């Protein structure tokens, strides 16, 4: 296997293992060589394709890209997470980690939660519920 680009300056990533760019990982997206990125770590799951309980198609769909969201959405067991360790081959290059970005739509590019979703929408919802409650209570008294 190719060791990819090593981290400069002998940082933490270099000690953890080889460092790969997302571009390098993207080339490994077929049944002959299937790599995934999960939580910034690179895994070669080629040997596991036939054994995967969900079928090899599930892994091949995610091969060559960041599969963190899909991995977490499925809710893998502790055993599955332990098993993942044997397929570890390296880390994602720090420059590519920054590109991953936040998937939370309520967070702006500055990293702060949007004013609309955090405060205004809940306040508006409470106001509507309060008005509906008052309307129905007054209507109930007049009947």
């Amino acid at each position: 296997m190719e060791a990819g680009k090593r981290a400069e300056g002998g940082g933490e990533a270099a000690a953890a293992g080889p460092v790969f760019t997302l571009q390098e990982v993207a080339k490994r997206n077929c049944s002959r060589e299937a790599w995934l990125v999960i939580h910034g770590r690179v895994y070669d799951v080629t040997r596991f394709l036939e054994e995967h309980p969900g079928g090899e198609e599930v892994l091949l769909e995610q091969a060559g890209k960041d599969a963190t969201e899909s991995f977490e959405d499925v809710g893998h067991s502790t055993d599955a997470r332990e098993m993942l360790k044997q397929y570890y081959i390296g880390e994602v290059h720090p420059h590519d980690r920054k590109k991953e970005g936040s998937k939370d739509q309520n967070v702006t590019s500055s990293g702060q939660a949007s004013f609309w979703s955090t405060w205004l929408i809940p306040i508006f919802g409470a106001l509507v519920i309060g008005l509906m409650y008052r309307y129905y209570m007054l209507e109930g008294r007049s009947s």
Side-chain angles (χ1 to χ4, degrees), residues 107-120:
V107 176
T108 61
S109 59
S110 65
Q112 295 179 347
S114 167
F115 174 75
W116 287 96
S117 62
T118 304
W119 295 103
L120 215 47

Side-chain angles (χ1 to χ4, degrees), residues 26-46:
K27 295 175 186 174
R28 277 57 175 217
N29 64 355
C30 64
S31 59
R32 285 180 283 121
E33 194 173 28
W35 290 11
L36 302 172
V37 174
I38 300 174
H39 295 295
R41 294 189 171 115
V42 181
Y43 299 93
D44 182 351
V45 295
T46 311

Side-chain angles (χ1 to χ4, degrees), residues 10-26:
E12 215 174 274
V19 177
F20 301 96
T21 64
L22 289 179
Q23 194 172 27
E24 289 175 300
V25 173

Side-chain angles (χ1 to χ4, degrees), residues 4-139:
K5 297 179 183 174
R6 299 230 176 241
E8 295 173 9
E12 215 174 274
V19 177
F20 301 96
T21 64
L22 289 179
Q23 194 172 27
E24 289 175 300
V25 173
K27 295 175 186 174
R28 277 57 175 217
N29 64 355
C30 64
S31 59
R32 285 180 283 121
E33 194 173 28
W35 290 11
L36 302 172
V37 174
I38 300 174
H39 295 295
R41 294 189 171 115
V42 181
Y43 299 93
D44 182 351
V45 295
T46 311
R47 298 178 290 143
F48 187 62
L49 289 175
E50 292 180 15
E51 300 171 28
H52 188 260
E56 69 179 51
E57 297 81 22
V58 175
L59 292 176
L60 290 174
E61 263 181 33
Q62 299 297 319
K65 50 189 166 182
D66 189 335
T68 303
E69 189 173 341
S70 297
F71 183 81
E72 293 300 337
D73 284 349
V74 171
H76 283 89
S77 67
T78 307
D79 291 339
R81 292 173 190 278
E82 279 297 312
M83 187 183 287
L84 189 62
K85 292 177 182 178
Q86 66 184 308
Y87 301 105
Y88 172 82
I89 57 170
E91 302 285 324
V92 172
H93 194 279
H95 294 289
D96 285 338
R97 284 182 186 224
K98 292 176 186 172
K99 290 179 188 174
E100 291 172 12
S102 173
K103 304 247 189 262
D104 187 356
Q105 294 177 348
N106 294 330
V107 176
T108 61
S109 59
S110 65
Q112 295 179 347
S114 167
F115 174 75
W116 287 96
S117 62
T118 304
W119 295 103
L120 215 47
I121 293 173
I123 290 171
F124 180 73
L127 183 63
V128 168
I129 291 171
L131 290 172
M132 288 173 55
Y133 175 78
R134 185 175 178 129
Y135 172 77
Y136 286 114
M137 291 305 287
L138 288 175
E139 189 175 291

